[in-house]
């Protein structure tokens, strides 16, 4: 059933995100043309047009990022907390499946948004001479790694990339879950649901700041703190960095688990759709 929920979610959200991605790529092409000639043209019309194209490209980047965030909030709100919630709660699916469908789709669109923005920036900055120089530099780096047998550098780089990817995915999930839990808490109230949702979001942020300060104070001058700073002689700096990354991953997992529990609990026990 999760597969059907995902199919429905992707179909509902793709109608909004894919055209925005197309417009962003189109705006990046216009921005590239403006950089390559319009801005330096003697024609007032062309230079003005180039400036407008650059502004449109900037607006398109901001719009795509904001829309990905709004869509994440709106799908959870309309699908589970408004009138559609009556229908969704009668389907033969669990709360867990409904939450996971929203999490997976939102995370995919966040990742796609980042990739499309990077692609659009590359298109804007594209220059055939620059790409040729970049390709030659990459070949030189690969040749140096192979020649001097720096496979440990490659392995550690791949490990850091994997750890960073896991952190990014967990960061996206935790970002969604914090918003979901705030809305679930707010909609457990009989009145002023939106106001209580905002208050819950702010309240959880304050609690996180307090807990973060406590954790930092406890770790200060500890073995782990010295390890992260490279002061622990029995562990190498690279190993300490890997341990630090996995420490952050574990913290993110705990963060996600807490907000996931809050979301499920309030949706199951205290949801008030009236």
């Amino acid at each position: 059933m999760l597969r059907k929920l995902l199919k429905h979610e992707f179909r509902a959200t793709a109608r909004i995100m894919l055209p925005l991605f197309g417009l962003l790529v189109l705006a990046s092409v216009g921005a590239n043309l403006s950089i390559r000639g319009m801005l330096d043209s003697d024609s007032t019309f062309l230079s003005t047009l180039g400036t407008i194209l650059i502004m449109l490209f900037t607006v398109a980047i901001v719009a795509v990022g904001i829309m990905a965030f709004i869509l994440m909030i709106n799908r959870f709100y309309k699908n589970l907390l408004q009138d559609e919630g009556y229908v969704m709660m009668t389907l033969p699916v669990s709360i867990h499946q409904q939450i996971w469908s929203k999490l997976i789709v939102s995370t995919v669109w966040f990742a796609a948004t980042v990739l499309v923005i990077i692609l659009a920036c590359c298109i804007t900055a594209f220059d055939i001479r620059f790409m040729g120089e970049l390709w030659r530099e990459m070949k030189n780096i690969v040749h140096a790694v192979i020649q001097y047998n720096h496979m440990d550098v490659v392995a550690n780089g791949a490990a850091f990339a994997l750890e960073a990817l896991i952190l990014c995915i967990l960061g996206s999930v935790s970002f969604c879950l914090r918003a979901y839990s705030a809305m679930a808490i707010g909609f457990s109230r009989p009145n002023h649901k939106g106001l209580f949702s905002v208050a819950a979001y702010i309240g959880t942020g304050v609690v996180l700041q307090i807990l973060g300060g406590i954790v930092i104070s406890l770790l200060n001058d500890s073995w782990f703190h010295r390890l992260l700073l490279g002061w622990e002689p029995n562990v190498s700096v690279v190993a300490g960095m890997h341990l630090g990354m996995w420490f952050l991953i574990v913290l993110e997992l705990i963060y996600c688990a807490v907000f996931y529990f809050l979301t499920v609990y309030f949706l199951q026990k205290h949801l008030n759709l009236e």
Side-chain angles (χ1 to χ4, degrees), residues 224-233 235-237 240:
F224 188 74
H225 184 228
R226 294 194 300 272
L227 175 65
L228 293 180
L229 295 177
W231 296 347
E232 191 62 40
V235 181
S236 66
V237 175

Side-chain angles (χ1 to χ4, degrees), residues 20-37 53-54 57 61 114-128 130-131 134:
L20 285 176
F21 289 163
L23 289 175
L24 177 56
V25 172
L26 186 62
S28 68
V29 174
N32 181 279
L33 293 175
S34 67
I35 292 174
R36 296 289 163 253
L53 289 175
I54 292 292
F57 173 65
I61 290 178
V114 172
L115 292 176
V116 171
I117 289 175
I118 292 173
L119 173 64
C121 291
C122 290
I123 292 174
T124 301
F126 180 79
D127 185 293
I128 191 65
F130 170 75
M131 295 303 295
L134 179 63

Side-chain angles (χ1 to χ4, degrees), residues 8 19 21 28 44 57 79-80 87 110 112 117 147 194 230 240 263:
H8 173 72
F21 289 163
S28 68
T44 304
F57 173 65
N79 209 224
L80 296 179
V87 178
F110 285 153
I117 289 175
Q147 181 178 1
T263 305

Side-chain angles (χ1 to χ4, degrees), residues 151-229:
M151 297 309 296
D152 57 331
V153 176
V154 176
N156 280 303
F160 279 124
L162 177 61
E163 291 158 0
L165 177 62
I166 294 173
L167 269 178
C168 289
I169 293 173
L170 290 176
S172 173
V173 171
S174 64
F175 176 73
C176 295
L177 283 173
R178 185 181 168 193
Y180 293 166
S181 63
M183 287 189 286
I185 293 170
F187 275 76
S188 66
R189 307 297 301 173
N191 299 305
H192 307 295
K193 302 175 188 292
L195 182 62
F196 275 105
S197 298
V198 174
Y201 188 88
I202 295 173
T204 53
V206 172
V207 172
L208 287 173
Q209 291 291 331
I210 295 173
L211 291 177
I214 294 173
V215 170
I216 291 174
S217 64
L218 291 176
L219 289 177
N220 189 32
D221 201 30
S222 64
W223 176 85
F224 188 74
H225 184 228
R226 294 194 300 272
L227 175 65
L228 293 180
L229 295 177

Side-chain angles (χ1 to χ4, degrees), residues 24 57-68 117:
L24 177 56
F57 173 65
T58 305
V59 170
I61 290 178
V62 175
V64 168
I66 291 176
M67 184 53 66
I117 289 175

